[in-house]
Amino acid sequence: MAAEIVNPRSDSSTDHEGAEEPFDPAFALHRGGKMAVQATVPVRDKDDLSLAYTPGVAKVCSAIAEQPELVHDYTWKSNVVAVVTDGTAVLGLGDIGAEASLPVMEGKAILFKQFGGVDAVPIALATTDADEIVETVVRLAPSFGGVNLEDISAPRCFEIERKLQERLDIPVFHDDQHGTAVVTLAALRNAAKLTGRTLGDLRAVISGAGAAGVAIAKFLLEAGLGDVAVADRKGVVSRDRDDLTPVKRELAEITNKAGLSGSLEAALSGADVFIGVSGGTVPEPAVASMAPNSFVFAMANPNPEVHPDVAHKYAAVVATGRSDFPNQINNVLAFPGIFAGALQVRASRITEGMKIAAANALADVVGDELSAEYVIPSPFDERVAPAVTAAVAAAARAEGVARR
């Protein structure tokens, strides 16, 4: 059956049969796009024009040609990020293509500006070939201070990020992986603190072995989590399975110290933490089987894997990916400040230490206000971006990847 076509007109109108079409605020907001380029210098007369363009601009170009590092001082490069996608894993919509992904990429760009003061340019590529994406981004890189990979499906996203990190000397960051992981760690640190435990005391189960699930598992282990098992559609990722992709085989080697196998529901028995990044529904009896004072982070949108009303019956702390419930695990808490900090010191890459510093800074914003319904701050908390930016910049200097 053909998909229903939604009329994008921004006001109520009458169709050819005389029926009233409802006003849709989403279409009204998006009409004409959500962003534009704005000059930072005036061009009011011939003198301004001669400085902003020819002949004055030639002096700056010549200086950069002689000393390439001056590009950071005399262009916008040091404060602009490329938001790159191929449209294969867009939000909860899946593989919808490059052009259909643009509203999301524009949204990402304005979040960079709103929450981190960082300019960003949406770039939707008309290819899904990993090598073509890498080559394209490498050739675009001279224009940008960093690359934010977005909504690229797994497992290609892992390969693309790795190859770009190897070839470029600017930060390359797949936000679906690492942004989610940073915010999850921050919330988990505070949840553990609230219940008198450390990360090392916790055993977690992650539903979803895609980009976010793999990254969260690795990152939490790096930060000191006691143990984590990851489940895909066929059950727990374990060494005894013969159907694993290379990424999942690697994951099986570093996770699941308890040696669990079988279903997600079975793995949840006695677990301290559930982290959902897959969609689907977890049965209530499985949630009830978790350890006392458990944490349920059900982050699928718009329908969490465990509805908060169910999770609250059994868990000490409940978080979702939605803004209409407390404790929203939202990437916007991380990526603007992470890039702002990296760009501030002209970092050559984003390290694990920089990401852990971001998570710790984010957790610390909560401070003495910590409660079961407040383990992670709001994206609109004005303390968030400056705290993350400062922590990331300091970590970059400490790890030797800062260039100023």
Side-chain angles (χ1 to χ4, degrees), residues 171-219:
V172 178
F173 185 84
H174 184 212
D175 186 50
D176 301 320
Q177 293 183 60
H178 309 301
T180 306
V182 165
V183 183
T184 300
L185 175 58
L188 192 57
R189 279 198 184 282
N190 276 340
K193 179 180 178 181
L194 182 68
T195 56
R197 289 175 286 179
T198 67
L199 291 178
D201 298 325
L202 304 175
R203 177 172 74 84
V205 176
I206 297 175
S207 174
V214 170
I216 291 170
K218 291 181 176 180
F219 192 54

Side-chain angles (χ1 to χ4, degrees), residues 55-78:
V57 73
K59 298 178 183 178
V60 181
C61 292
S62 298
I64 294 171
E66 293 177 8
Q67 299 181 61
E69 67 276 8
L70 292 179
V71 70
H72 297 284
D73 296 314
Y74 294 108
T75 72
W76 77 337
K77 178 182 174 75
S78 276

Side-chain angles (χ1 to χ4, degrees), residues 223-261:
L225 187 73
D227 192 16
V228 58
V230 182
D232 62 11
R233 291 184 179 88
K234 297 182 180 179
V236 174
V237 174
S238 58
R239 295 181 184 181
D240 61 356
R241 283 178 51 180
D242 60 6
D243 61 344
L244 299 179
T245 64
V247 169
K248 292 179 184 179
R249 280 200 299 271
E250 178 189 354
L251 191 64
E253 292 297 322
I254 62 172
T255 60
N256 194 18
K257 291 189 294 186
L260 302 173
S261 60

